[in-house]
Amino acid sequence: MYESSFHKLSQRLFSESPWPTAEAIAPVVDHDHVFCLLYRELYFRHVFARLQPTLEQRCESWENYCSLFQVVLLGNLNVQLPNAWLWDMVDEFIYQFQSFCQFRARVKSRTEEETAALKQCGNVWNVYGVLNYLHALVAKSNILAILDDDSDGGAAAVFLATEGYDMSGNGSNVERVLGYLSLVGLLRMHCLLGDYHTGLVKLSPIDIGRPGVFQRITGCHITVMYYYGFASLMLRRYVDAIRAFNQVLLTLSKAKQYHETLPQYDQILKKTEQMYALLAICLALCPNGKLLEESVNGQLREKFSDKIQRMQRGDESVFDELFSFACPKFVTPAPPVEDGGELVNYNQDAYRLQLKLFLADVRSQLALPGLRSALSLYSAISLPRLSTFLDVSESTLRTALITLRHKNTVVEADGSVLPNAELDFYIDDDLVQVVDSKTTRRFGDYFIKHILKFDELAGQLENVQLVV
């Protein structure tokens, strides 16, 4: 009911108006405290989705989330809620924090009364408060110990099999699943703040390469792979980003007909386009199309073939365009400060900073595609010969090779250095040795495609009426 008829009823009866207040419906449910908290969470979510929330409503929503999470952290709930509802709760919690930061930074559009009222809300949607609640939910749920027990029949296997629900019927899934989903929330929060390494560390207890509960919730699955891929891109872990985008885009393409029936289909479609744009950036910086499934590669070439070629030729404007379209809406967690008696608008500062850092990294790689292409032609070549071939000095070539080597490696959390590209090489005195990185060719997609085409043709031939 929550994922289908609930949204239809809300759309039909309250498409342009708020729901009845919690105070109005409280007598109907005997003033049940937990029910009213959950109702208010849905009430404010509807206000943010359909209407323009006021500052008072933003503050009330924050207070309701605080009360609701306090019940989870300090109480003993015996209710089970749909996992999709719990995900929407975490997702909306972070979205409203993001929305409040953007609202607070829009200085020029506010009146003096709104500015004065906003100064009284110093602790509302505070970044430390949001992070503390997410960390507290993780700690309370004991989800890290559950996911760490990956033995056969262990806690992790049971959690996956039951999707976090209490199958005895006497307990609750709220605490466990909220803790699990808060790991995803922490990834998103740290990405919005520009701390990509911490975001990936917080997500690390969840192995995205294996089946997980997050894959059973469409919105959560997309969020995990989008922010994981974006964080990997910003950390120059291009291969990890390509694999993540390839995995989720393949899944979305297979389930497209199902997603078209969901009320969140427009958001799914937009996120899909953003991930294709980020995938195009990754392939421009790290040409490794062998990591893509045939269907994903076909869609990518159809959408961004021209832009990929322009990026590989060093067109910085295309990097700027695709990054601006596909990046998250970064936030500045600190409130605006007064500069000479006037409030300064910081609404776009976080985005501009991340764009500046990204383009600086791109500029350092603009000369590398030609060098990468030249190295791919040889198994070994001397530095003098390669410098002549590229028409550059030997000292400039050494600098370019060191830069390419740096960009082609990534340092893992444990300190190990791993190759991050299809091409690997090392310099032995004045000789560049290119490592032959053979990849296993996959023929499965090719045969599956043609088998399906053969079945389609066979079905058409069966319907042909032969004239004798």
Side-chain angles (χ1 to χ4, degrees), residues 266-281:
D266 289 340
Q267 293 93 321
I268 294 174
L269 205 58
K270 181 180 179 181
K271 229 43 173 185
T272 300
E273 293 298 314
Q274 288 179 318
M275 287 190 287
Y276 270 116
L278 293 174
L279 181 57
I281 292 175

Side-chain angles (χ1 to χ4, degrees), residues 22 50 66 78 81 94 195 223 230 250-251 266 269 276 278 293 295 317 360 365 367 373 375 409 413 438 451 454 457:
R50 298 286 180 181
C66 292
N78 60 353
L81 297 177
I94 299 173
D195 188 358
T223 298
F230 184 81
L250 182 65
T251 302
D266 289 340
L269 205 58
Y276 270 116
L278 293 174
E293 297 290 340
S295 59
S317 64
Q365 302 188 50
S373 299
L375 288 175
T409 56
K438 293 183 179 179
I451 288 171
F454 175 79
L457 290 173

Side-chain angles (χ1 to χ4, degrees), residues 160-215:
L160 175 61
T162 61
E163 298 185 24
Y165 291 105
D166 189 312
M167 306 310 290
S168 66
N170 299 320
S172 171
N173 68 322
V174 174
E175 186 178 289
R176 284 190 304 276
V177 177
L178 270 182
Y180 178 86
L181 298 175
S182 292
L183 295 172
V184 181
L186 287 169
L187 166 68
R188 180 179 172 186
M189 276 292 296
H190 286 291
C191 285
L192 295 178
L193 298 171
D195 188 358
Y196 307 109
H197 175 75
T198 302
L200 293 181
V201 169
K202 296 302 178 184
L203 184 71
S204 59
I206 300 176
D207 187 351
I208 66 169
R210 299 171 59 184
V213 175
F214 73 93
Q215 295 173 331

Side-chain angles (χ1 to χ4, degrees), residues 57-342:
Q57 289 172 326
R58 293 176 189 272
C59 295
E60 290 176 354
S61 181
W62 164 254
E63 292 170 358
N64 185 72
Y65 271 116
C66 292
S67 301
L68 180 58
F69 290 151
Q70 288 293 334
V71 169
V72 176
L73 295 170
L74 303 177
N76 185 19
L77 290 178
N78 60 353
V79 298
Q80 299 220 62
L81 297 177
N83 286 347
W85 186 348
L86 297 175
W87 163 247
D88 288 340
M89 193 182 297
V90 174
D91 183 58
E92 184 71 14
F93 180 58
I94 299 173
Y95 166 74
Q96 291 190 22
F97 160 76
Q98 185 181 14
S99 175
F100 184 82
C101 290
Q102 293 170 342
F103 167 78
R104 182 176 56 191
R106 288 195 293 266
V107 177
K108 296 181 179 179
S109 60
R110 288 205 305 266
T111 64
E112 293 183 2
E113 291 77 10
E114 289 176 328
T115 301
L118 195 57
K119 289 181 179 180
Q120 304 301 318
C121 306
N123 295 324
V124 173
W125 293 110
N126 180 279
V127 63
Y128 295 111
V130 174
L131 289 173
N132 284 340
Y133 273 119
L134 293 175
H135 281 290
L137 290 170
V138 172
K140 175 68 174 178
S141 66
N142 199 33
I143 192 64
L144 297 181
I146 293 174
L147 296 177
D148 190 51
D149 183 10
D150 58 355
S151 59
D152 291 341
V158 174
F159 181 77
L160 175 61
T162 61
E163 298 185 24
Y165 291 105
D166 189 312
M167 306 310 290
S168 66
N170 299 320
S172 171
N173 68 322
V174 174
E175 186 178 289
R176 284 190 304 276
V177 177
L178 270 182
Y180 178 86
L181 298 175
S182 292
L183 295 172
V184 181
L186 287 169
L187 166 68
R188 180 179 172 186
M189 276 292 296
H190 286 291
C191 285
L192 295 178
L193 298 171
D195 188 358
Y196 307 109
H197 175 75
T198 302
L200 293 181
V201 169
K202 296 302 178 184
L203 184 71
S204 59
I206 300 176
D207 187 351
I208 66 169
R210 299 171 59 184
V213 175
F214 73 93
Q215 295 173 331
R216 314 286 175 84
I217 309 169
T218 301
C220 183
H221 188 196
I222 293 174
T223 298
V224 168
M225 306 310 279
Y226 169 78
Y227 283 99
Y228 176 89
F230 184 81
S232 298
L233 167 63
M234 296 300 286
L235 293 174
R236 293 187 296 102
R237 295 168 54 170
Y238 303 122
V239 171
D240 290 342
I242 291 171
R243 287 189 176 125
F245 291 137
N246 175 69
Q247 177 187 331
V248 67
L249 290 171
L250 182 65
T251 302
L252 292 175
S253 65
K254 291 180 179 179
K256 184 178 180 180
Q257 291 183 338
Y258 164 71
H259 294 149
E260 288 176 348
T261 64
L262 298 177
Q264 304 89 359
Y265 179 65
D266 289 340
Q267 293 93 321
I268 294 174
L269 205 58
K270 181 180 179 181
K271 229 43 173 185
T272 300
E273 293 298 314
Q274 288 179 318
M275 287 190 287
Y276 270 116
L278 293 174
L279 181 57
I281 292 175
C282 291
L283 288 175
L285 295 173
C286 177
N288 201 338
K290 295 178 182 178
L291 296 173
L292 297 182
E293 297 290 340
E294 184 178 346
S295 59
V296 175
N297 191 36
Q299 284 290 318
L300 178 68
R301 298 297 169 182
E302 182 180 329
K303 296 174 183 290
F304 295 106
S305 177
D306 178 60
K307 293 186 185 297
I308 292 175
Q309 293 176 11
R310 288 171 59 189
M311 286 189 289
Q312 290 176 338
R313 291 196 298 266
D315 191 338
E316 187 178 313
S317 64
V318 182
F319 284 103
D320 189 332
E321 175 191 346
L322 293 185
F323 182 88
S324 300
F325 165 71
C327 71
K329 292 183 178 179
F330 302 104
V331 297
T332 302
V337 296
E338 293 189 9
D339 185 10
E342 293 185 0

